[in-house]
Amino acid sequence: MKKLALIAAALVAGFVSMACNTVQGVGKDIERGGEAIQRAVK
C-alpha cells in the first residue's frame, strides 16, 4: 500500500512540475485561478 501511495505521489509531482515548471508559470496558474473565482462570484 505504501508503495502504491509513493508511486501515485511521484506521478502527481511529475504532472505538477510539467504543468508549471517555472515560478512564472506558477504565478500565471494562481492568477487564472483567481480570475475564475472572480467570474464565479459575479
Side-chain angles (χ1 to χ4, degrees):
M1 188 68 178
K2 288 182 181 180
K3 189 174 183 177
L4 180 61
L6 182 62
I7 292 171
L11 288 173
V12 169
F15 286 129
V16 168
S17 68
M18 286 189 305
C20 49
N21 58 359
T22 65
V23 174
Q24 185 178 10
V26 171
K28 287 181 180 180
D29 290 342
I30 292 171
E31 183 179 2
R32 288 185 192 130
E35 289 172 355
I37 292 170
Q38 287 178 347
R39 284 192 304 270
V41 170
K42 288 183 181 179

mmCIF file of all heavy atoms in Angstrom:
data_model
loop_
_atom_site.group_PDB
_atom_site.id
_atom_site.type_symbol
_atom_site.label_atom_id
_atom_site.label_comp_id
_atom_site.label_asym_id
_atom_site.label_seq_id
_atom_site.Cartn_x
_atom_site.Cartn_y
_atom_site.Cartn_z
ATOM 1 N N MET A 1 0.829 -1.197 0.000
ATOM 2 C CA MET A 1 0.000 0.000 0.000
ATOM 3 C C MET A 1 0.865 1.249 0.000
ATOM 4 O O MET A 1 0.567 2.197 -0.702
ATOM 5 C CB MET A 1 -0.910 -0.040 1.236
ATOM 6 C CG MET A 1 -1.952 1.037 1.251
ATOM 7 S SD MET A 1 -3.136 0.722 -0.073
ATOM 8 C CE MET A 1 -4.245 2.043 0.176
ATOM 9 N N LYS A 2 1.934 1.245 0.805
ATOM 10 C CA LYS A 2 2.822 2.400 0.860
ATOM 11 C C LYS A 2 3.503 2.618 -0.496
ATOM 12 O O LYS A 2 3.712 3.744 -0.917
ATOM 13 C CB LYS A 2 3.869 2.228 1.953
ATOM 14 C CG LYS A 2 3.321 2.364 3.343
ATOM 15 C CD LYS A 2 4.420 2.243 4.376
ATOM 16 C CE LYS A 2 3.858 2.355 5.773
ATOM 17 N NZ LYS A 2 4.914 2.243 6.782
ATOM 18 N N LYS A 3 3.826 1.501 -1.153
ATOM 19 C CA LYS A 3 4.494 1.596 -2.453
ATOM 20 C C LYS A 3 3.567 2.242 -3.479
ATOM 21 O O LYS A 3 3.988 3.100 -4.255
ATOM 22 C CB LYS A 3 4.925 0.209 -2.915
ATOM 23 C CG LYS A 3 5.793 0.216 -4.131
ATOM 24 C CD LYS A 3 6.305 -1.181 -4.448
ATOM 25 C CE LYS A 3 7.241 -1.166 -5.623
ATOM 26 N NZ LYS A 3 7.795 -2.483 -5.900
ATOM 27 N N LEU A 4 2.288 1.880 -3.450
ATOM 28 C CA LEU A 4 1.305 2.455 -4.365
ATOM 29 C C LEU A 4 1.143 3.957 -4.109
ATOM 30 O O LEU A 4 1.092 4.751 -5.047
ATOM 31 C CB LEU A 4 -0.034 1.743 -4.225
ATOM 32 C CG LEU A 4 -1.164 2.243 -5.123
ATOM 33 C CD1 LEU A 4 -0.792 2.080 -6.595
ATOM 34 C CD2 LEU A 4 -2.443 1.493 -4.818
ATOM 35 N N ALA A 5 1.089 4.340 -2.830
ATOM 36 C CA ALA A 5 0.966 5.754 -2.474
ATOM 37 C C ALA A 5 2.191 6.534 -2.937
ATOM 38 O O ALA A 5 2.078 7.666 -3.425
ATOM 39 C CB ALA A 5 0.771 5.904 -0.974
ATOM 40 N N LEU A 6 3.361 5.949 -2.807
ATOM 41 C CA LEU A 6 4.593 6.599 -3.244
ATOM 42 C C LEU A 6 4.609 6.789 -4.762
ATOM 43 O O LEU A 6 4.967 7.855 -5.260
ATOM 44 C CB LEU A 6 5.807 5.772 -2.804
ATOM 45 C CG LEU A 6 7.164 6.340 -3.143
ATOM 46 C CD1 LEU A 6 7.367 7.685 -2.458
ATOM 47 C CD2 LEU A 6 8.258 5.371 -2.733
ATOM 48 N N ILE A 7 4.173 5.798 -5.481
ATOM 49 C CA ILE A 7 4.101 5.893 -6.943
ATOM 50 C C ILE A 7 3.094 6.964 -7.352
ATOM 51 O O ILE A 7 3.372 7.783 -8.232
ATOM 52 C CB ILE A 7 3.745 4.526 -7.566
ATOM 53 C CG1 ILE A 7 4.900 3.548 -7.374
ATOM 54 C CG2 ILE A 7 3.407 4.670 -9.043
ATOM 55 C CD1 ILE A 7 4.584 2.119 -7.744
ATOM 56 N N ALA A 8 1.935 6.991 -6.701
ATOM 57 C CA ALA A 8 0.919 7.996 -7.016
ATOM 58 C C ALA A 8 1.441 9.396 -6.724
ATOM 59 O O ALA A 8 1.242 10.315 -7.516
ATOM 60 C CB ALA A 8 -0.349 7.729 -6.218
ATOM 61 N N ALA A 9 2.144 9.576 -5.607
ATOM 62 C CA ALA A 9 2.697 10.879 -5.258
ATOM 63 C C ALA A 9 3.747 11.316 -6.281
ATOM 64 O O ALA A 9 3.803 12.481 -6.669
ATOM 65 C CB ALA A 9 3.299 10.841 -3.861
ATOM 66 N N ALA A 10 4.551 10.388 -6.737
ATOM 67 C CA ALA A 10 5.567 10.706 -7.737
ATOM 68 C C ALA A 10 4.925 11.124 -9.060
ATOM 69 O O ALA A 10 5.380 12.062 -9.712
ATOM 70 C CB ALA A 10 6.488 9.506 -7.954
ATOM 71 N N LEU A 11 3.868 10.441 -9.448
ATOM 72 C CA LEU A 11 3.175 10.796 -10.684
ATOM 73 C C LEU A 11 2.547 12.183 -10.583
ATOM 74 O O LEU A 11 2.648 12.992 -11.511
ATOM 75 C CB LEU A 11 2.100 9.759 -11.015
ATOM 76 C CG LEU A 11 2.615 8.411 -11.500
ATOM 77 C CD1 LEU A 11 1.459 7.425 -11.623
ATOM 78 C CD2 LEU A 11 3.328 8.562 -12.823
ATOM 79 N N VAL A 12 1.904 12.456 -9.455
ATOM 80 C CA VAL A 12 1.289 13.775 -9.256
ATOM 81 C C VAL A 12 2.358 14.858 -9.292
ATOM 82 O O VAL A 12 2.184 15.881 -9.953
ATOM 83 C CB VAL A 12 0.497 13.810 -7.930
ATOM 84 C CG1 VAL A 12 0.099 15.228 -7.578
ATOM 85 C CG2 VAL A 12 -0.730 12.924 -8.030
ATOM 86 N N ALA A 13 3.473 14.637 -8.619
ATOM 87 C CA ALA A 13 4.558 15.612 -8.613
ATOM 88 C C ALA A 13 5.093 15.834 -10.034
ATOM 89 O O ALA A 13 5.391 16.964 -10.422
ATOM 90 C CB ALA A 13 5.675 15.146 -7.690
ATOM 91 N N GLY A 14 5.177 14.781 -10.807
ATOM 92 C CA GLY A 14 5.638 14.901 -12.188
ATOM 93 C C GLY A 14 4.687 15.720 -13.034
ATOM 94 O O GLY A 14 5.117 16.596 -13.794
ATOM 95 N N PHE A 15 3.394 15.468 -12.889
ATOM 96 C CA PHE A 15 2.411 16.226 -13.665
ATOM 97 C C PHE A 15 2.408 17.695 -13.256
ATOM 98 O O PHE A 15 2.307 18.576 -14.103
ATOM 99 C CB PHE A 15 1.008 15.633 -13.506
ATOM 100 C CG PHE A 15 0.818 14.348 -14.247
ATOM 101 C CD1 PHE A 15 0.296 13.236 -13.607
ATOM 102 C CD2 PHE A 15 1.161 14.232 -15.588
ATOM 103 C CE1 PHE A 15 0.112 12.042 -14.283
ATOM 104 C CE2 PHE A 15 0.989 13.044 -16.275
ATOM 105 C CZ PHE A 15 0.469 11.942 -15.615
ATOM 106 N N VAL A 16 2.531 17.959 -11.963
ATOM 107 C CA VAL A 16 2.549 19.341 -11.484
ATOM 108 C C VAL A 16 3.770 20.063 -12.021
ATOM 109 O O VAL A 16 3.682 21.204 -12.469
ATOM 110 C CB VAL A 16 2.501 19.385 -9.942
ATOM 111 C CG1 VAL A 16 2.817 20.775 -9.415
ATOM 112 C CG2 VAL A 16 1.137 18.930 -9.446
ATOM 113 N N SER A 17 4.917 19.405 -11.998
ATOM 114 C CA SER A 17 6.134 20.057 -12.473
ATOM 115 C C SER A 17 6.089 20.288 -13.981
ATOM 116 O O SER A 17 6.658 21.253 -14.473
ATOM 117 C CB SER A 17 7.366 19.243 -12.091
ATOM 118 O OG SER A 17 7.406 18.027 -12.801
ATOM 119 N N MET A 18 5.388 19.434 -14.716
ATOM 120 C CA MET A 18 5.256 19.650 -16.152
ATOM 121 C C MET A 18 4.277 20.787 -16.434
ATOM 122 O O MET A 18 4.465 21.548 -17.378
ATOM 123 C CB MET A 18 4.768 18.381 -16.850
ATOM 124 C CG MET A 18 5.819 17.320 -16.972
ATOM 125 S SD MET A 18 5.334 15.925 -18.002
ATOM 126 C CE MET A 18 3.810 15.380 -17.256
ATOM 127 N N ALA A 19 3.238 20.902 -15.616
ATOM 128 C CA ALA A 19 2.209 21.916 -15.841
ATOM 129 C C ALA A 19 2.748 23.309 -15.589
ATOM 130 O O ALA A 19 2.429 24.245 -16.315
ATOM 131 C CB ALA A 19 1.002 21.646 -14.954
ATOM 132 N N CYS A 20 3.543 23.482 -14.562
ATOM 133 C CA CYS A 20 4.102 24.803 -14.263
ATOM 134 C C CYS A 20 5.527 24.618 -13.794
ATOM 135 O O CYS A 20 5.793 24.488 -12.609
ATOM 136 C CB CYS A 20 3.251 25.553 -13.246
ATOM 137 S SG CYS A 20 2.832 24.606 -11.783
ATOM 138 N N ASN A 21 6.449 24.583 -14.745
ATOM 139 C CA ASN A 21 7.829 24.245 -14.426
ATOM 140 C C ASN A 21 8.670 25.459 -14.046
ATOM 141 O O ASN A 21 9.856 25.326 -13.817
ATOM 142 C CB ASN A 21 8.473 23.485 -15.586
ATOM 143 C CG ASN A 21 8.428 24.275 -16.875
ATOM 144 O OD1 ASN A 21 7.911 25.376 -16.906
ATOM 145 N ND2 ASN A 21 8.960 23.722 -17.936
ATOM 146 N N THR A 22 8.079 26.628 -13.993
ATOM 147 C CA THR A 22 8.822 27.811 -13.577
ATOM 148 C C THR A 22 8.002 28.585 -12.557
ATOM 149 O O THR A 22 6.799 28.395 -12.428
ATOM 150 C CB THR A 22 9.111 28.737 -14.771
ATOM 151 O OG1 THR A 22 7.876 29.220 -15.264
ATOM 152 C CG2 THR A 22 9.872 28.037 -15.863
ATOM 153 N N VAL A 23 8.652 29.462 -11.843
ATOM 154 C CA VAL A 23 7.957 30.308 -10.868
ATOM 155 C C VAL A 23 6.946 31.186 -11.594
ATOM 156 O O VAL A 23 5.842 31.409 -11.115
ATOM 157 C CB VAL A 23 8.972 31.156 -10.079
ATOM 158 C CG1 VAL A 23 8.268 32.152 -9.174
ATOM 159 C CG2 VAL A 23 9.892 30.265 -9.274
ATOM 160 N N GLN A 24 7.307 31.666 -12.764
ATOM 161 C CA GLN A 24 6.385 32.486 -13.557
ATOM 162 C C GLN A 24 5.146 31.675 -13.929
ATOM 163 O O GLN A 24 4.024 32.175 -13.875
ATOM 164 C CB GLN A 24 7.085 32.970 -14.824
ATOM 165 C CG GLN A 24 6.240 33.920 -15.645
ATOM 166 C CD GLN A 24 6.991 34.422 -16.875
ATOM 167 O OE1 GLN A 24 8.063 33.923 -17.201
ATOM 168 N NE2 GLN A 24 6.440 35.387 -17.547
ATOM 169 N N GLY A 25 5.331 30.424 -14.273
ATOM 170 C CA GLY A 25 4.201 29.558 -14.612
ATOM 171 C C GLY A 25 3.279 29.347 -13.424
ATOM 172 O O GLY A 25 2.057 29.344 -13.567
ATOM 173 N N VAL A 26 3.854 29.198 -12.240
ATOM 174 C CA VAL A 26 3.049 29.040 -11.028
ATOM 175 C C VAL A 26 2.229 30.300 -10.806
ATOM 176 O O VAL A 26 1.042 30.244 -10.495
ATOM 177 C CB VAL A 26 3.950 28.748 -9.804
ATOM 178 C CG1 VAL A 26 3.146 28.796 -8.518
ATOM 179 C CG2 VAL A 26 4.630 27.405 -9.948
ATOM 180 N N GLY A 27 2.847 31.460 -10.987
ATOM 181 C CA GLY A 27 2.139 32.732 -10.823
ATOM 182 C C GLY A 27 0.976 32.859 -11.786
ATOM 183 O O GLY A 27 -0.110 33.311 -11.410
ATOM 184 N N LYS A 28 1.182 32.452 -13.012
ATOM 185 C CA LYS A 28 0.105 32.520 -14.009
ATOM 186 C C LYS A 28 -1.038 31.578 -13.638
ATOM 187 O O LYS A 28 -2.204 31.923 -13.801
ATOM 188 C CB LYS A 28 0.646 32.171 -15.397
ATOM 189 C CG LYS A 28 1.504 33.259 -16.000
ATOM 190 C CD LYS A 28 1.977 32.874 -17.377
ATOM 191 C CE LYS A 28 2.845 33.956 -17.981
ATOM 192 N NZ LYS A 28 3.317 33.592 -19.318
ATOM 193 N N ASP A 29 -0.696 30.391 -13.154
ATOM 194 C CA ASP A 29 -1.727 29.434 -12.741
ATOM 195 C C ASP A 29 -2.557 29.992 -11.590
ATOM 196 O O ASP A 29 -3.785 29.881 -11.579
ATOM 197 C CB ASP A 29 -1.099 28.104 -12.331
ATOM 198 C CG ASP A 29 -0.529 27.336 -13.512
ATOM 199 O OD1 ASP A 29 -0.908 27.657 -14.659
ATOM 200 O OD2 ASP A 29 0.277 26.428 -13.286
ATOM 201 N N ILE A 30 -1.891 30.614 -10.623
ATOM 202 C CA ILE A 30 -2.602 31.199 -9.481
ATOM 203 C C ILE A 30 -3.486 32.351 -9.943
ATOM 204 O O ILE A 30 -4.628 32.490 -9.508
ATOM 205 C CB ILE A 30 -1.596 31.665 -8.407
ATOM 206 C CG1 ILE A 30 -0.909 30.454 -7.786
ATOM 207 C CG2 ILE A 30 -2.285 32.508 -7.335
ATOM 208 C CD1 ILE A 30 0.249 30.794 -6.887
ATOM 209 N N GLU A 31 -2.956 33.160 -10.856
ATOM 210 C CA GLU A 31 -3.736 34.292 -11.373
ATOM 211 C C GLU A 31 -4.991 33.805 -12.102
ATOM 212 O O GLU A 31 -6.081 34.340 -11.915
ATOM 213 C CB GLU A 31 -2.873 35.118 -12.330
ATOM 214 C CG GLU A 31 -3.560 36.353 -12.862
ATOM 215 C CD GLU A 31 -2.663 37.166 -13.788
ATOM 216 O OE1 GLU A 31 -1.518 36.747 -14.037
ATOM 217 O OE2 GLU A 31 -3.118 38.209 -14.263
ATOM 218 N N ARG A 32 -4.857 32.781 -12.912
ATOM 219 C CA ARG A 32 -6.017 32.223 -13.625
ATOM 220 C C ARG A 32 -7.047 31.668 -12.655
ATOM 221 O O ARG A 32 -8.253 31.800 -12.873
ATOM 222 C CB ARG A 32 -5.567 31.138 -14.599
ATOM 223 C CG ARG A 32 -4.847 31.688 -15.799
ATOM 224 C CD ARG A 32 -4.521 30.590 -16.787
ATOM 225 N NE ARG A 32 -3.602 31.079 -17.789
ATOM 226 C CZ ARG A 32 -2.470 30.471 -18.158
ATOM 227 N NH1 ARG A 32 -2.159 29.322 -17.608
ATOM 228 N NH2 ARG A 32 -1.688 30.984 -19.066
ATOM 229 N N GLY A 33 -6.569 31.039 -11.601
ATOM 230 C CA GLY A 33 -7.475 30.512 -10.586
ATOM 231 C C GLY A 33 -8.251 31.647 -9.916
ATOM 232 O O GLY A 33 -9.458 31.544 -9.698
ATOM 233 N N GLY A 34 -7.562 32.742 -9.602
ATOM 234 C CA GLY A 34 -8.223 33.896 -9.002
ATOM 235 C C GLY A 34 -9.241 34.520 -9.929
ATOM 236 O O GLY A 34 -10.331 34.917 -9.502
ATOM 237 N N GLU A 35 -8.909 34.600 -11.203
ATOM 238 C CA GLU A 35 -9.848 35.158 -12.187
ATOM 239 C C GLU A 35 -11.087 34.281 -12.300
ATOM 240 O O GLU A 35 -12.207 34.794 -12.425
ATOM 241 C CB GLU A 35 -9.151 35.297 -13.543
ATOM 242 C CG GLU A 35 -8.106 36.407 -13.566
ATOM 243 C CD GLU A 35 -7.278 36.411 -14.836
ATOM 244 O OE1 GLU A 35 -7.441 35.491 -15.681
ATOM 245 O OE2 GLU A 35 -6.465 37.330 -14.992
ATOM 246 N N ALA A 36 -10.908 32.984 -12.266
ATOM 247 C CA ALA A 36 -12.051 32.070 -12.348
ATOM 248 C C ALA A 36 -12.963 32.244 -11.138
ATOM 249 O O ALA A 36 -14.200 32.244 -11.273
ATOM 250 C CB ALA A 36 -11.565 30.622 -12.437
ATOM 251 N N ILE A 37 -12.357 32.433 -9.975
ATOM 252 C CA ILE A 37 -13.166 32.663 -8.759
ATOM 253 C C ILE A 37 -13.936 33.967 -8.874
ATOM 254 O O ILE A 37 -15.117 34.040 -8.535
ATOM 255 C CB ILE A 37 -12.266 32.653 -7.511
ATOM 256 C CG1 ILE A 37 -11.721 31.246 -7.281
ATOM 257 C CG2 ILE A 37 -13.022 33.162 -6.283
ATOM 258 C CD1 ILE A 37 -10.641 31.167 -6.229
ATOM 259 N N GLN A 38 -13.283 35.011 -9.381
ATOM 260 C CA GLN A 38 -13.960 36.310 -9.544
ATOM 261 C C GLN A 38 -15.138 36.199 -10.504
ATOM 262 O O GLN A 38 -16.191 36.770 -10.273
ATOM 263 C CB GLN A 38 -12.982 37.365 -10.054
ATOM 264 C CG GLN A 38 -11.990 37.819 -8.994
ATOM 265 C CD GLN A 38 -10.999 38.829 -9.539
ATOM 266 O OE1 GLN A 38 -10.891 39.030 -10.748
ATOM 267 N NE2 GLN A 38 -10.257 39.452 -8.646
ATOM 268 N N ARG A 39 -14.957 35.454 -11.597
ATOM 269 C CA ARG A 39 -16.051 35.280 -12.560
ATOM 270 C C ARG A 39 -17.207 34.517 -11.924
ATOM 271 O O ARG A 39 -18.375 34.805 -12.183
ATOM 272 C CB ARG A 39 -15.556 34.556 -13.810
ATOM 273 C CG ARG A 39 -14.736 35.419 -14.739
ATOM 274 C CD ARG A 39 -14.530 34.736 -16.078
ATOM 275 N NE ARG A 39 -13.922 33.412 -15.965
ATOM 276 C CZ ARG A 39 -12.619 33.163 -15.984
ATOM 277 N NH1 ARG A 39 -11.760 34.151 -16.112
ATOM 278 N NH2 ARG A 39 -12.169 31.941 -15.886
ATOM 279 N N ALA A 40 -16.873 33.531 -11.110
ATOM 280 C CA ALA A 40 -17.918 32.733 -10.476
ATOM 281 C C ALA A 40 -18.706 33.551 -9.462
ATOM 282 O O ALA A 40 -19.916 33.336 -9.297
ATOM 283 C CB ALA A 40 -17.288 31.518 -9.795
ATOM 284 N N VAL A 41 -18.063 34.505 -8.804
ATOM 285 C CA VAL A 41 -18.730 35.305 -7.791
ATOM 286 C C VAL A 41 -19.672 36.303 -8.432
ATOM 287 O O VAL A 41 -20.741 36.607 -7.878
ATOM 288 C CB VAL A 41 -17.692 36.027 -6.900
ATOM 289 C CG1 VAL A 41 -18.341 37.053 -5.998
ATOM 290 C CG2 VAL A 41 -16.908 35.011 -6.084
ATOM 291 N N LYS A 42 -19.343 36.800 -9.609
ATOM 292 C CA LYS A 42 -20.168 37.821 -10.277
ATOM 293 C C LYS A 42 -21.490 37.288 -10.677
ATOM 294 O O LYS A 42 -22.048 36.498 -10.958
ATOM 295 C CB LYS A 42 -19.453 38.384 -11.496
ATOM 296 C CG LYS A 42 -18.308 39.277 -11.117
ATOM 297 C CD LYS A 42 -17.686 39.851 -12.346
ATOM 298 C CE LYS A 42 -16.498 40.730 -11.958
ATOM 299 N NZ LYS A 42 -15.853 41.285 -13.094
#
